[in-house]
Amino acid sequence: MVAQRDPHQEYQRRVWRMQSRVRGLMLGLALGDTAGAARGGLPAAGPLRAGVSTQLACFTAEGVIRAMVRGRHKGVCHPPGVVLHAYCRWAALQGIEVPRMRRRWVSLPGDRPWPDGWLAGVPALAERRGSAPATVAALSRIEDPHSRIATPSRGCHALTRTLPVAVAGPEWAEQAGEFAALTHGDPAARSTAVQAAVLLRHCLTAPPPDGPGDPADRLAREALEKGLAALPSGPGPGRVPGDERERLSAAFRAGVDQPAEPARLARLAPDASAPSALLGGLYTAASFPGRDRFRAALEFAAGAPDGDSVACVTGALLGAVHGAEALPADLVSRHELAWVIDALARDLLAQIEDSPSGSEYVRGWDPHWWDRYPGW
C-alpha cells in the first residue's frame, strides 16, 4: 500500500527548499563579489568586506519587496519607479547628490524621514566599496525632466545588481531588464539582465536530488540547460537575439566539455560588461557544478579579467541551485553583510508567499512590515 503524501508537509518542504535557495543566491552573489575583488585570495581570518555590486543588489531586493507591498496596498505599481527610488536611497547614503535626491523624493520638508526603510540604518551600505560609474552618472541626473537618465553603458552592474529579481517569479524576468535599463541604456545590458533572471529562476526551481547518491553536478547542469532552452527569443525588449542565445549555449557546452580553462574564461569574459559577466559566470558554473566545488568555482572565476562580476554571477547561480547550506560556513560567517543579506532573502520570500503587511482590504499579521518596507 502506497502511503499518501501530506499536502501540508509537501508545502512546508517546498517553502524550506526555496528559502534555502533564495538565501543561497543572495549570499552566493555577495561571496562572489568579495572573492572577485580579492582576485580569489581571500584572507584566512577577519571580516570579509562587501563590494558595490552587493550593496546595489541589496537595494534591488528591498525595492522589489517595496514594489510588491505597494501593489498589494495601492492596487497599482510601476516597479521600475520603486526600484529607482531604492537606488537613489543607496546613492544618498553614499553621499552622492544628496540635496538633489532629497528634492526628487521628499515633497514636503519634514514630511517623513528620508532615506527610509531599514536598510538606511546599515553602516556598511553607506561606505564606498568600489566604483559603479554608469549607475552613479545616471542617478546624478535624477532631476532632469527632458531625457532618460540612463547612460549608453553595458557595464556589469546592470546585471549584478539585478540578480535578486529572479526570486520574484518568471513574470518578473522582463522587469529585470527594465531595472537594468534605468541606468544602462545599451540593449545588451537589458537583454543580459533578462537572460540571467531566466537562468537563475530555473536554478531556484530545479527538482531536489532523488537521494544521497544523486549527483549534484547533474542537477546544476540540468537546471542551466533548461534555463537556456527557456530563454525568450526574438526581437524586442526582454527578448534574446539568436546570436546571444548561441553564445550562451556555447559557453555552457564549453564548461561541460572543456571545463576550467583560464584562457577560455578570458576569451568569454574579456571585460567588465554585463554580457562578459554572464558568459563567464555560466562557463564557470558549468565547469564546477558540484555542491562541494563552490569555493573552487569562485577562485577560478576571480581569475577573469573582471573577476568581481564573473564571480558574482557564478556565486549566484551555484548558490541558487545548491542552497545556502552548500556555501562555505567560514566565508559566510565572516561576511560583513551576511545577516543583512540573509534577512532580505527571507523577507523577499515572505512577501511573495504571505504578504506580512496584508493588502488594501486584508489586515496583515506584521504591524511593522510597512515601516521596514514602505510602499513607495
Side-chain angles (χ1 to χ4, degrees), residues 43-73:
L48 299 178
R49 289 162 60 92
V52 65
S53 287
T54 303
Q55 290 180 332
L56 287 166
C58 286
F59 279 94
T60 299
E62 188 229 27
V64 170
I65 297 172
R66 288 172 65 146
M68 291 180 173
V69 169
R70 179 175 178 81
R72 288 273 190 168
H73 286 269

mmCIF file of all heavy atoms in Angstrom, residues 43-73:
data_model
loop_
_atom_site.group_PDB
_atom_site.id
_atom_site.type_symbol
_atom_site.label_atom_id
_atom_site.label_comp_id
_atom_site.label_asym_id
_atom_site.label_seq_id
_atom_site.Cartn_x
_atom_site.Cartn_y
_atom_site.Cartn_z
ATOM 1 N N PRO A 43 41.376 36.637 2.596
ATOM 2 C CA PRO A 43 42.166 36.489 3.828
ATOM 3 C C PRO A 43 41.686 35.297 4.646
ATOM 4 O O PRO A 43 40.507 34.940 4.625
ATOM 5 C CB PRO A 43 41.915 37.810 4.559
ATOM 6 C CG PRO A 43 40.631 38.332 4.002
ATOM 7 C CD PRO A 43 40.599 37.882 2.573
ATOM 8 N N ALA A 44 42.599 34.692 5.374
ATOM 9 C CA ALA A 44 42.266 33.494 6.158
ATOM 10 C C ALA A 44 41.459 33.816 7.400
ATOM 11 O O ALA A 44 40.820 32.934 7.972
ATOM 12 C CB ALA A 44 43.545 32.758 6.539
ATOM 13 N N ALA A 45 41.488 35.055 7.836
ATOM 14 C CA ALA A 45 40.759 35.439 9.046
ATOM 15 C C ALA A 45 40.291 36.881 8.911
ATOM 16 O O ALA A 45 40.755 37.621 8.039
ATOM 17 C CB ALA A 45 41.657 35.279 10.277
ATOM 18 N N GLY A 46 39.354 37.255 9.775
ATOM 19 C CA GLY A 46 38.860 38.626 9.779
ATOM 20 C C GLY A 46 37.638 38.804 8.909
ATOM 21 O O GLY A 46 37.280 37.919 8.117
ATOM 22 N N PRO A 47 36.985 39.961 9.030
ATOM 23 C CA PRO A 47 35.755 40.219 8.259
ATOM 24 C C PRO A 47 36.022 40.275 6.757
ATOM 25 O O PRO A 47 37.092 40.686 6.312
ATOM 26 C CB PRO A 47 35.292 41.590 8.782
ATOM 27 C CG PRO A 47 36.009 41.795 10.073
ATOM 28 C CD PRO A 47 37.309 41.068 9.949
ATOM 29 N N LEU A 48 35.026 39.873 5.993
ATOM 30 C CA LEU A 48 35.069 39.972 4.537
ATOM 31 C C LEU A 48 34.194 41.141 4.115
ATOM 32 O O LEU A 48 33.011 41.193 4.460
ATOM 33 C CB LEU A 48 34.572 38.677 3.894
ATOM 34 C CG LEU A 48 35.369 37.416 4.224
ATOM 35 C CD1 LEU A 48 34.737 36.192 3.559
ATOM 36 C CD2 LEU A 48 36.821 37.558 3.795
ATOM 37 N N ARG A 49 34.767 42.072 3.374
ATOM 38 C CA ARG A 49 34.074 43.299 3.010
ATOM 39 C C ARG A 49 33.183 43.092 1.789
ATOM 40 O O ARG A 49 33.552 42.387 0.846
ATOM 41 C CB ARG A 49 35.096 44.406 2.722
ATOM 42 C CG ARG A 49 35.799 44.890 3.974
ATOM 43 C CD ARG A 49 37.073 45.633 3.626
ATOM 44 N NE ARG A 49 36.834 46.797 2.785
ATOM 45 C CZ ARG A 49 36.629 48.033 3.243
ATOM 46 N NH1 ARG A 49 36.603 48.246 4.541
ATOM 47 N NH2 ARG A 49 36.462 49.046 2.422
ATOM 48 N N ALA A 50 32.037 43.736 1.827
ATOM 49 C CA ALA A 50 31.103 43.688 0.697
ATOM 50 C C ALA A 50 31.581 44.595 -0.425
ATOM 51 O O ALA A 50 32.274 45.587 -0.186
ATOM 52 C CB ALA A 50 29.710 44.117 1.150
ATOM 53 N N GLY A 51 31.204 44.255 -1.658
ATOM 54 C CA GLY A 51 31.502 45.087 -2.805
ATOM 55 C C GLY A 51 30.299 45.925 -3.203
ATOM 56 O O GLY A 51 29.194 45.776 -2.675
ATOM 57 N N VAL A 52 30.494 46.799 -4.190
ATOM 58 C CA VAL A 52 29.420 47.689 -4.609
ATOM 59 C C VAL A 52 28.285 46.919 -5.281
ATOM 60 O O VAL A 52 27.107 47.289 -5.157
ATOM 61 C CB VAL A 52 29.965 48.801 -5.529
ATOM 62 C CG1 VAL A 52 30.491 48.243 -6.836
ATOM 63 C CG2 VAL A 52 28.905 49.868 -5.792
ATOM 64 N N SER A 53 28.595 45.819 -5.978
ATOM 65 C CA SER A 53 27.521 45.012 -6.569
ATOM 66 C C SER A 53 26.609 44.452 -5.495
ATOM 67 O O SER A 53 25.381 44.393 -5.666
ATOM 68 C CB SER A 53 28.111 43.871 -7.404
ATOM 69 O OG SER A 53 28.665 44.339 -8.607
ATOM 70 N N THR A 54 27.196 44.045 -4.378
ATOM 71 C CA THR A 54 26.404 43.509 -3.274
ATOM 72 C C THR A 54 25.531 44.596 -2.664
ATOM 73 O O THR A 54 24.342 44.369 -2.358
ATOM 74 C CB THR A 54 27.325 42.904 -2.210
ATOM 75 O OG1 THR A 54 28.136 41.895 -2.809
ATOM 76 C CG2 THR A 54 26.526 42.298 -1.070
ATOM 77 N N GLN A 55 26.089 45.771 -2.467
ATOM 78 C CA GLN A 55 25.289 46.879 -1.937
ATOM 79 C C GLN A 55 24.080 47.155 -2.830
ATOM 80 O O GLN A 55 22.945 47.263 -2.342
ATOM 81 C CB GLN A 55 26.153 48.137 -1.837
ATOM 82 C CG GLN A 55 27.229 48.099 -0.774
ATOM 83 C CD GLN A 55 28.044 49.391 -0.751
ATOM 84 O OE1 GLN A 55 28.179 50.073 -1.766
ATOM 85 N NE2 GLN A 55 28.578 49.728 0.408
ATOM 86 N N LEU A 56 24.318 47.263 -4.119
ATOM 87 C CA LEU A 56 23.230 47.570 -5.047
ATOM 88 C C LEU A 56 22.222 46.428 -5.122
ATOM 89 O O LEU A 56 21.011 46.668 -5.248
ATOM 90 C CB LEU A 56 23.802 47.879 -6.423
ATOM 91 C CG LEU A 56 24.498 49.234 -6.553
ATOM 92 C CD1 LEU A 56 25.325 49.298 -7.832
ATOM 93 C CD2 LEU A 56 23.478 50.367 -6.529
ATOM 94 N N ALA A 57 22.703 45.176 -5.048
ATOM 95 C CA ALA A 57 21.784 44.042 -5.068
ATOM 96 C C ALA A 57 20.875 44.054 -3.836
ATOM 97 O O ALA A 57 19.691 43.677 -3.924
ATOM 98 C CB ALA A 57 22.564 42.734 -5.142
ATOM 99 N N CYS A 58 21.404 44.485 -2.700
ATOM 100 C CA CYS A 58 20.562 44.613 -1.503
ATOM 101 C C CYS A 58 19.422 45.593 -1.748
ATOM 102 O O CYS A 58 18.268 45.336 -1.380
ATOM 103 C CB CYS A 58 21.410 45.074 -0.316
ATOM 104 S SG CYS A 58 22.502 43.823 0.391
ATOM 105 N N PHE A 59 19.723 46.705 -2.383
ATOM 106 C CA PHE A 59 18.677 47.689 -2.633
ATOM 107 C C PHE A 59 17.723 47.237 -3.728
ATOM 108 O O PHE A 59 16.549 47.626 -3.731
ATOM 109 C CB PHE A 59 19.296 49.053 -2.943
ATOM 110 C CG PHE A 59 19.693 49.796 -1.710
ATOM 111 C CD1 PHE A 59 20.981 49.721 -1.220
ATOM 112 C CD2 PHE A 59 18.761 50.531 -1.003
ATOM 113 C CE1 PHE A 59 21.348 50.381 -0.055
ATOM 114 C CE2 PHE A 59 19.109 51.197 0.170
ATOM 115 C CZ PHE A 59 20.408 51.124 0.651
ATOM 116 N N THR A 60 18.192 46.409 -4.652
ATOM 117 C CA THR A 60 17.258 45.834 -5.620
ATOM 118 C C THR A 60 16.254 44.935 -4.907
ATOM 119 O O THR A 60 15.038 45.024 -5.144
ATOM 120 C CB THR A 60 18.003 45.017 -6.679
ATOM 121 O OG1 THR A 60 18.901 45.869 -7.399
ATOM 122 C CG2 THR A 60 17.028 44.387 -7.666
ATOM 123 N N ALA A 61 16.752 44.045 -4.043
ATOM 124 C CA ALA A 61 15.856 43.149 -3.309
ATOM 125 C C ALA A 61 14.870 43.941 -2.466
ATOM 126 O O ALA A 61 13.661 43.657 -2.447
ATOM 127 C CB ALA A 61 16.672 42.203 -2.430
ATOM 128 N N GLU A 62 15.360 44.977 -1.780
ATOM 129 C CA GLU A 62 14.474 45.796 -0.958
ATOM 130 C C GLU A 62 13.459 46.529 -1.824
ATOM 131 O O GLU A 62 12.273 46.628 -1.476
ATOM 132 C CB GLU A 62 15.312 46.799 -0.149
ATOM 133 C CG GLU A 62 14.508 47.561 0.889
ATOM 134 C CD GLU A 62 14.747 49.061 0.833
ATOM 135 O OE1 GLU A 62 15.092 49.588 -0.258
ATOM 136 O OE2 GLU A 62 14.529 49.726 1.856
ATOM 137 N N GLY A 63 13.906 47.017 -2.991
ATOM 138 C CA GLY A 63 12.994 47.708 -3.889
ATOM 139 C C GLY A 63 11.899 46.804 -4.421
ATOM 140 O O GLY A 63 10.740 47.225 -4.569
ATOM 141 N N VAL A 64 12.242 45.553 -4.719
ATOM 142 C CA VAL A 64 11.234 44.598 -5.188
ATOM 143 C C VAL A 64 10.197 44.337 -4.099
ATOM 144 O O VAL A 64 8.985 44.297 -4.370
ATOM 145 C CB VAL A 64 11.908 43.288 -5.638
ATOM 146 C CG1 VAL A 64 10.867 42.201 -5.899
ATOM 147 C CG2 VAL A 64 12.729 43.522 -6.909
ATOM 148 N N ILE A 65 10.658 44.167 -2.857
ATOM 149 C CA ILE A 65 9.710 43.971 -1.755
ATOM 150 C C ILE A 65 8.784 45.171 -1.639
ATOM 151 O O ILE A 65 7.553 45.037 -1.525
ATOM 152 C CB ILE A 65 10.455 43.732 -0.430
ATOM 153 C CG1 ILE A 65 11.289 42.446 -0.486
ATOM 154 C CG2 ILE A 65 9.455 43.660 0.736
ATOM 155 C CD1 ILE A 65 12.190 42.245 0.719
ATOM 156 N N ARG A 66 9.347 46.365 -1.693
ATOM 157 C CA ARG A 66 8.538 47.571 -1.554
ATOM 158 C C ARG A 66 7.570 47.737 -2.721
ATOM 159 O O ARG A 66 6.448 48.233 -2.546
ATOM 160 C CB ARG A 66 9.450 48.789 -1.386
ATOM 161 C CG ARG A 66 10.118 48.805 -0.019
ATOM 162 C CD ARG A 66 11.179 49.865 0.140
ATOM 163 N NE ARG A 66 10.680 51.221 0.069
ATOM 164 C CZ ARG A 66 11.177 52.248 0.774
ATOM 165 N NH1 ARG A 66 12.169 52.029 1.642
ATOM 166 N NH2 ARG A 66 10.696 53.456 0.634
ATOM 167 N N ALA A 67 7.985 47.327 -3.920
ATOM 168 C CA ALA A 67 7.067 47.374 -5.059
ATOM 169 C C ALA A 67 5.892 46.421 -4.855
ATOM 170 O O ALA A 67 4.739 46.753 -5.164
ATOM 171 C CB ALA A 67 7.820 47.021 -6.336
ATOM 172 N N MET A 68 6.177 45.230 -4.318
ATOM 173 C CA MET A 68 5.098 44.276 -4.045
ATOM 174 C C MET A 68 4.164 44.791 -2.960
ATOM 175 O O MET A 68 2.933 44.634 -3.045
ATOM 176 C CB MET A 68 5.696 42.932 -3.633
ATOM 177 C CG MET A 68 6.398 42.204 -4.760
ATOM 178 S SD MET A 68 7.085 40.620 -4.188
ATOM 179 C CE MET A 68 7.633 39.922 -5.748
ATOM 180 N N VAL A 69 4.744 45.407 -1.921
ATOM 181 C CA VAL A 69 3.927 45.977 -0.856
ATOM 182 C C VAL A 69 3.014 47.059 -1.427
ATOM 183 O O VAL A 69 1.810 47.110 -1.122
ATOM 184 C CB VAL A 69 4.821 46.555 0.266
ATOM 185 C CG1 VAL A 69 3.998 47.392 1.248
ATOM 186 C CG2 VAL A 69 5.527 45.420 1.010
ATOM 187 N N ARG A 70 3.570 47.926 -2.262
ATOM 188 C CA ARG A 70 2.752 48.987 -2.858
ATOM 189 C C ARG A 70 1.622 48.393 -3.707
ATOM 190 O O ARG A 70 0.476 48.843 -3.643
ATOM 191 C CB ARG A 70 3.613 49.907 -3.713
ATOM 192 C CG ARG A 70 2.783 51.001 -4.376
ATOM 193 C CD ARG A 70 3.625 51.993 -5.141
ATOM 194 N NE ARG A 70 2.768 52.972 -5.784
ATOM 195 C CZ ARG A 70 2.240 54.026 -5.195
ATOM 196 N NH1 ARG A 70 2.490 54.234 -3.911
ATOM 197 N NH2 ARG A 70 1.470 54.870 -5.851
ATOM 198 N N GLY A 71 1.951 47.398 -4.527
ATOM 199 C CA GLY A 71 0.926 46.782 -5.355
ATOM 200 C C GLY A 71 -0.198 46.186 -4.539
ATOM 201 O O GLY A 71 -1.379 46.270 -4.919
ATOM 202 N N ARG A 72 0.153 45.580 -3.403
ATOM 203 C CA ARG A 72 -0.869 44.975 -2.544
ATOM 204 C C ARG A 72 -1.784 46.028 -1.922
ATOM 205 O O ARG A 72 -2.987 45.817 -1.781
ATOM 206 C CB ARG A 72 -0.191 44.175 -1.429
ATOM 207 C CG ARG A 72 0.455 42.886 -1.885
ATOM 208 C CD ARG A 72 -0.559 41.761 -1.884
ATOM 209 N NE ARG A 72 0.075 40.467 -2.093
ATOM 210 C CZ ARG A 72 -0.533 39.321 -1.910
ATOM 211 N NH1 ARG A 72 -1.795 39.307 -1.498
ATOM 212 N NH2 ARG A 72 0.083 38.175 -2.134
ATOM 213 N N HIS A 73 -1.192 47.158 -1.521
ATOM 214 C CA HIS A 73 -1.958 48.147 -0.763
ATOM 215 C C HIS A 73 -2.597 49.220 -1.638
ATOM 216 O O HIS A 73 -3.635 49.762 -1.271
ATOM 217 C CB HIS A 73 -1.053 48.808 0.288
ATOM 218 C CG HIS A 73 -0.748 47.924 1.444
ATOM 219 N ND1 HIS A 73 -1.524 47.900 2.587
ATOM 220 C CD2 HIS A 73 0.234 47.001 1.639
ATOM 221 C CE1 HIS A 73 -1.018 47.011 3.441
ATOM 222 N NE2 HIS A 73 0.045 46.450 2.890
#
